[in-house]
Amino acid sequence: MTDAKTPEPVSPELRKVAERAKRNPEQKILALARLIDAPALERAYRRLRKDAAVGVDGVTVDQYGQSLQGNLEVLLGRLKAGQYRHQPIRRVHIPKENGKTRPIGISTVEDKCVQGALREVLEAVYEQDFLVCSFGFRPMRNPHDALRVLDREMRRGGCSVLEADIVSFFDSIDRKMLMEMLRERIADESLMRLVGKCLHVGVLDGEQYSEPDVGTAQGSALSPLLGNIYLHHVLDLWFEHVVKPRLRARAVLVRFADDFVMCFERGDDARRVEEALGKRLARFGLTLHPDKTRLLEFRPPSDGRGKGSATFDFLGFTLHWQRTRRGSWRLGLRTRRVRLRRAAKAVADWCRGHLHWPVKAQHATLRRKLLGHYNYFGVSGNTRPLGGLYRRATLAWRRALWRRSQRSRVSWKRFLVILRVFPLPPPRVMVQLWGV
């Protein structure tokens, strides 16, 4: 049940750990803390973004790297002596599409290095254990792979879909239960103490300091992996080994981090699992969102005329039924309206905030923004929403250039000349999902 596409670990020692974990799926792994050495810490540092936000100490990635070897030697010495302490994380609030905010924890560069090295070790073990239904934050797996699985399921003629949403998942993880889960596979207490130090950290939110006793900090390099381990035990193994053997027909779970859907061939199976799911999650301190969790029939129209049954959202897309040129039905994906509006607003805000940049520099950034959007949302059959973003970005750029100076307004005629010299990338399909 492991992912066949998982790459080899980055060092011979980690490769041996991965091989041992794969050969002995029930065995606890010893002597792992020694793998957090100077090369591992340096690899973690090299993976950091140079423009990453600073933690509570105000040290940037570049500043830490000016004396990298010395800093890492001191850090490694403290780790070996048991004197390492994770500094408080700095909390910032990122606006969400529903008007609320998402709290993100920003660690110091030093703590990010420790988290990255620790993640490398745990990943070598757990990539051998994770099931094929899990796609989020894993090597060689991405959201498009999860969508391909759903596409294959829908080719069978549709299904009953249980769309689920966990309330504040990362903030609700029971740390004690998580540590117990880790001890089922990890027998190195030195490593476990280090995991505990990365979990039990203070939070500095503006001038307010707190020490929460549940959850993992979103934004931590370690948090996505710990979340996957938690849901591997809470959801994936339960669905595979407890739920599926008791069902009357085929069922599939597709999970990307804490975002997941379940597909059932039979509606009565789906209703039974819907009743059990909330109880299962509650045992581990998790709660299903009452307004975002629903069971729906997702099947093509039987009369051949309608647009299809109910739609549902997953990974930024709205999934629906659409006609092919030959008249048959297939799974369609379009960018969620809220995501499209957010992308267009982000482009417009950026244009207003960079009015006086040189045109060449504006073009380079806008081009990167559009291509970044196309790389994710540029999937088969989704060109119309991409075209909408392209037109809005073009208009936003023109408005920004027009406002640059009251004495030299950029007319449409002049703007069209600029577009010929600096064209924005048109909508394009970057990922083929159908038939893959």
Side-chain angles (χ1 to χ4, degrees):
M1 298 300 295
T2 57
D3 178 8
K5 296 190 293 184
T6 300
E8 289 295 315
V10 294
S11 74
E13 293 80 9
L14 284 173
R15 187 178 301 117
K16 291 177 182 178
V17 168
E19 291 170 353
R20 189 163 75 247
K22 187 173 184 178
R23 284 195 310 269
N24 305 288
E26 304 298 327
Q27 185 183 76
K28 294 185 178 182
I29 309 298
L30 296 162
L32 292 174
R34 63 181 178 80
L35 300 178
I36 300 181
D37 52 15
L41 293 171
E42 184 171 353
R43 286 194 300 270
Y45 172 82
R46 301 297 179 192
R47 288 193 293 265
L48 297 179
R49 288 175 44 190
K50 300 304 179 185
D51 60 346
V54 299
V56 294
D57 60 358
V59 177
T60 67
V61 174
D62 283 336
Q63 289 171 341
Y64 192 85
Q66 290 174 5
S67 302
L68 181 62
Q69 298 305 321
N71 287 333
L72 294 183
E73 286 179 11
V74 172
L75 173 58
L76 183 60
R78 287 162 44 218
L79 284 167
K80 290 182 176 179
Q83 298 173 346
Y84 167 76
R85 295 291 182 272
H86 195 296
Q87 297 186 63
I89 62 171
R90 182 171 67 88
R91 176 166 286 173
V92 297
H93 296 270
I94 307 299
K96 295 173 63 175
E97 56 200 31
N98 59 5
K100 298 181 180 180
T101 61
R102 182 189 305 276
I104 299 294
I106 302 175
S107 303
T108 65
V109 175
E110 179 179 87
D111 293 330
K112 289 176 182 177
C113 291
V114 174
Q115 294 167 13
L118 185 54
R119 187 197 69 189
E120 207 175 57
V121 174
L122 292 176
E123 205 170 65
V125 175
Y126 280 97
E127 272 302 310
Q128 320 313 314
D129 294 354
F130 289 152
L131 307 188
V132 294
C133 62
S134 169
F135 293 89
F137 305 106
R138 294 182 56 191
M140 302 296 292
R141 297 197 137 203
N142 59 49
H144 298 136
D145 294 326
L147 293 169
R148 288 188 181 98
V149 172
L150 288 177
D151 177 48
R152 288 197 294 269
E153 288 304 308
M154 299 313 162
R155 286 186 222 163
R156 298 172 179 269
C159 58
S160 298
V161 173
L162 179 55
E163 180 186 11
D165 184 86
I166 300 175
V167 177
S168 302
F169 167 68
F170 287 99
D171 293 332
S172 303
I173 291 176
D174 188 303
R175 295 175 181 174
K176 184 177 179 180
M177 288 185 173
L178 174 59
M179 295 294 279
E180 291 173 356
M181 293 171 186
L182 287 167
R183 285 192 170 92
E184 291 182 16
R185 203 67 164 107
I186 308 297
D188 187 327
E189 281 305 311
S190 295
L191 191 82
M192 292 300 298
R193 282 194 294 272
L194 186 55
V195 173
K197 290 178 180 180
C198 292
L199 276 175
H200 299 278
V201 294
V203 176
L204 188 63
D205 192 345
E207 295 183 354
Q208 282 193 323
Y209 178 80
S210 61
E211 294 183 355
D213 54 6
V214 295
T216 66
Q218 293 190 63
S220 160
L222 195 57
S223 191
L225 177 58
L226 295 178
N228 268 338
I229 293 171
Y230 201 71
L231 285 180
H232 171 71
H233 287 270
V234 174
L235 186 64
D236 301 355
L237 292 176
W238 173 72
F239 187 83
E240 185 68 25
H241 300 302
V242 178
V243 172
K244 287 175 67 174
R246 300 180 182 181
L247 300 181
R248 296 181 178 181
R250 179 180 174 83
V252 171
L253 166 66
V254 181
R255 180 174 68 80
F256 192 94
D258 60 322
D259 196 358
F260 66 93
V261 294
M262 295 176 176
C263 302
F264 301 87
E265 189 175 343
R266 292 176 59 110
D268 54 349
D269 283 341
R271 288 187 289 273
R272 289 168 57 203
V273 175
E274 181 185 24
E275 293 177 2
L277 179 60
K279 299 175 183 177
R280 171 67 181 182
L281 295 181
R283 288 177 53 192
F284 297 89
L286 304 177
T287 306
L288 285 173
H289 197 297
D291 299 325
K292 297 181 181 180
T293 301
R294 61 183 181 132
L295 180 61
L296 62 137
E297 288 296 311
F298 190 74
R299 304 182 191 275
S302 56
D303 60 5
R305 294 193 301 272
K307 292 185 178 180
S309 57
T311 65
F312 67 97
D313 297 328
F314 189 53
L315 301 180
F317 291 92
T318 296
L319 284 70
H320 61 100
W321 290 102
Q322 69 176 195
R323 279 294 187 96
T324 67
R325 293 180 180 178
R326 296 182 179 181
S328 61
W329 293 98
R330 69 181 174 195
L331 179 67
L333 297 100
R334 62 173 178 264
T335 311
R336 289 184 62 195
R337 291 180 181 177
V338 290
R339 294 292 291 267
L340 191 60
R341 286 198 298 267
R342 186 171 68 186
K345 183 179 183 300
V347 169
D349 290 346
W350 185 89
C351 288
R352 283 194 296 269
H354 299 79
L355 293 176
H356 300 293
W357 274 29
V359 171
K360 185 176 181 180
Q362 288 183 354
H363 170 258
T365 300
L366 286 173
R367 186 175 186 277
R368 284 195 301 271
K369 289 180 178 295
L370 285 175
L371 288 177
H373 187 88
Y374 298 162
N375 283 335
Y376 185 83
F377 289 103
V379 303
S380 313
N382 192 41
T383 52
R384 182 175 293 182
L386 300 184
L389 179 62
Y390 170 79
R391 289 189 293 273
R392 294 182 193 182
T394 303
L395 290 174
W397 193 21
R398 191 261 168 175
R399 284 195 295 267
L401 293 176
W402 186 77
R403 292 170 179 167
R404 282 165 71 106
S405 171
Q406 292 184 352
R407 291 178 299 175
S408 56
R409 300 288 194 187
V410 175
S411 65
W412 265 109
K413 184 176 180 180
R414 184 180 171 192
F415 180 62
L416 292 176
V417 173
I418 292 174
L419 278 181
R420 284 197 292 271
V421 179
F422 300 105
L424 294 177
R428 63 187 71 174
V429 173
M430 310 293 284
V431 181
Q432 293 288 345
L433 293 181
W434 293 324
V436 178

